[in-house]
Amino acid sequence: MNHTVQTFFTPVSTNRPPNYEMLKEEHEVAALGAPHNPAPPTFTVIHIRSETSVPDHVVWSLFNTLFMSSCCLGFIAFTYSVKSRDRNMVGDLTGAQSNASTAKCLNIWALILGIIMTILLIIIPILILQAYQ
């Protein structure tokens, strides 16, 4: 058995004997020695969820659904936007990013096709009226 002996020095300037608490502490340290804990120390890891949110493009999709309805791309983009928002609420950031990317792509195409169709709806009647005059 491994015994460790530790000597405690009392101040020489005091001519008082050591009190009971000091003697008790010396005895406990001498009797216990070094801590004997065979188990490794355990650690607790706390994951703090960062407040990163993925842009879901719901407003843009709703705008494309209501005003630029070319081939229903705005409505499909709106469904992917809602799916992205749901994935973000659950905490699935990769799924949210994937759905948001799809919604963004569909919104870009819906916007481009909507602008082209609007321009054509303005230019074609003007060209037809000029041809008949």
Side-chain angles (χ1 to χ4, degrees):
M1 183 174 221
N2 186 6
H3 292 286
T4 57
V5 179
Q6 296 180 358
T7 28
F8 291 92
F9 296 103
T10 57
V12 179
S13 62
T14 62
N15 292 328
R16 296 178 293 167
N19 60 8
Y20 174 72
E21 283 113 16
M22 287 180 64
L23 290 174
K24 182 179 176 188
E25 185 177 324
E26 288 176 8
H27 175 70
E28 287 176 356
V29 169
L32 294 175
H36 300 286
N37 191 0
T42 58
F43 299 100
T44 302
V45 178
I46 299 173
H47 294 284
I48 299 174
R49 188 174 151 193
S50 62
E51 295 299 323
T52 58
S53 65
V54 178
D56 49 14
H57 312 292
V58 171
V59 176
W60 189 12
S61 301
L62 189 62
F63 175 78
N64 283 334
T65 301
L66 296 176
F67 298 112
M68 305 279 187
S69 61
S70 57
C71 305
C72 296
L73 288 178
F75 181 71
I76 297 169
F78 184 71
T79 57
Y80 274 102
S81 297
V82 171
K83 285 171 65 173
S84 172
R85 181 172 282 184
D86 291 343
R87 291 284 98 202
N88 197 16
M89 288 295 182
V90 171
D92 180 17
L93 292 180
T94 56
Q97 287 173 348
S98 173
N99 288 331
S101 174
T102 305
K104 183 179 178 180
C105 183
L106 289 171
N107 278 323
I108 289 171
W109 279 107
L111 185 65
I112 290 171
L113 291 176
I115 290 172
I116 290 172
M117 287 175 58
T118 304
I119 290 173
L120 290 177
L121 285 174
I122 292 172
I123 292 177
I124 290 176
I126 292 174
L127 291 176
I128 292 174
L129 285 175
Q130 285 179 353
Y132 286 118
Q133 289 179 356

